[in-house]
Amino acid sequence: MADGKILKFGRKINKETSTDDYFVAFQSKVVSRNHAEIWYKDGQVYFRDIGSSSGTFLNKLRLSPSGKESRPYPLRSGDVIQLGIDYHGKKEDIYKCVMMKIIIQGKDASTKRKANIERLNNAIKELISAASPNTNSEDQMSSVECCICLNTLAPYQALFLAPCTHCFHYKCVHPLLGGGIMFLCPLCRQVANLEATV
């Protein structure tokens, strides 16, 4: 893939003969005309839903609600993406979803992972310093609030940092966990598997 070029996925329309080299068409009723897109930028491959009706999934997790664009998700080698959901009751291939396994090769495939680990470590350090009792108020760039009760996160409080990066008091989010492994963020409506591999 060329750096910055966007490769789009969508449904094949019989009436049109597309000559676009950056459009991949599938003959499936569960794939929207403009379903998802993938691109390569600065050593990382990204993927997102562009407002599909039947959904786009990354490793079995839906990226956004029906008709809404998702945020870009970085892809790793071995990830599985899925366009649409099988139409129940129909056995023909035209009513089946499209699934693809991502294989990333090249010299940038391993170097980007190191950069992501450094970014994660910096984010954790910033979160810890924001909740640290030893941090001066002038050192804090901005106040961090619980996305449910809107109270400031303070030292010695139990926190819950969702995979979508929204932060809550554990006491506020505990009723939403319900004992299951799937977590639906009340703010952005993203679903995450709490027992996913670290």
Side-chain angles (χ1 to χ4, degrees):
M1 295 180 70
D3 200 344
K5 271 287 198 182
I6 297 175
L7 179 66
K8 295 194 176 192
F9 301 111
R11 185 172 73 232
K12 183 177 182 180
I13 308 299
N14 293 332
K15 297 175 185 177
E16 300 173 6
T17 54
S18 177
T19 57
D20 188 359
D21 291 335
Y22 287 92
F23 185 80
V24 179
F26 297 99
Q27 197 163 355
S28 173
K29 295 275 189 187
V30 299
V31 175
S32 298
R33 290 184 184 189
N34 292 306
H35 198 105
E37 58 189 19
I38 189 170
W39 68 96
Y40 174 83
K41 185 175 181 184
D42 299 329
Q44 177 65 55
V45 178
Y46 295 95
F47 178 68
R48 74 177 186 126
D49 187 316
I50 52 175
S52 68
S53 57
S54 58
T56 304
F57 300 81
L58 175 59
N59 298 325
K60 298 184 180 180
L61 296 176
R62 189 166 185 160
L63 302 185
S64 63
S66 180
K68 302 258 178 162
E69 290 187 359
S70 73
R71 69 174 176 86
Y73 287 84
L75 292 179
R76 292 177 304 204
S77 196
D79 284 344
V80 176
I81 58 178
Q82 176 183 332
L83 308 179
I85 302 172
D86 288 349
Y87 191 89
H88 293 293
K90 302 279 187 177
K91 295 184 179 177
E92 298 88 353
D93 286 343
I94 199 167
Y95 294 104
K96 302 270 182 181
C97 68
V98 175
M99 294 184 77
M100 294 170 270
K101 186 171 186 177
I102 302 298
I103 305 296
I104 300 173
Q105 297 178 332
K107 60 180 181 179
D108 292 335
S110 59
T111 56
K112 192 62 182 178
R113 178 168 289 189
K114 185 178 179 184
N116 284 342
I117 290 171
E118 289 173 8
R119 282 180 52 202
L120 176 64
N121 288 339
N122 289 336
I124 291 172
K125 286 176 188 173
E126 288 176 14
L127 180 63
I128 289 170
S129 71
S132 171
N134 300 326
T135 304
N136 297 331
S137 58
E138 64 247 22
D139 293 340
Q140 271 185 288
M141 295 178 70
S142 62
S143 63
V144 181
E145 299 174 343
C146 172
C147 297
I148 295 177
C149 70
L150 302 180
N151 288 321
T152 303
L153 301 178
Y156 304 113
Q157 294 176 335
L159 304 179
F160 179 87
L161 182 62
C164 57
T165 70
H166 291 119
C167 196
F168 312 93
H169 291 116
Y170 182 77
K171 189 173 182 178
C172 296
V173 80
H174 185 263
L176 300 177
L177 298 176
I181 63 169
M182 300 306 287
F183 173 70
L184 174 66
C185 178
L187 200 62
C188 67
R189 311 302 290 171
Q190 260 188 1
V191 177
N193 183 349
L194 296 177
E195 292 185 2
T197 305
V198 176

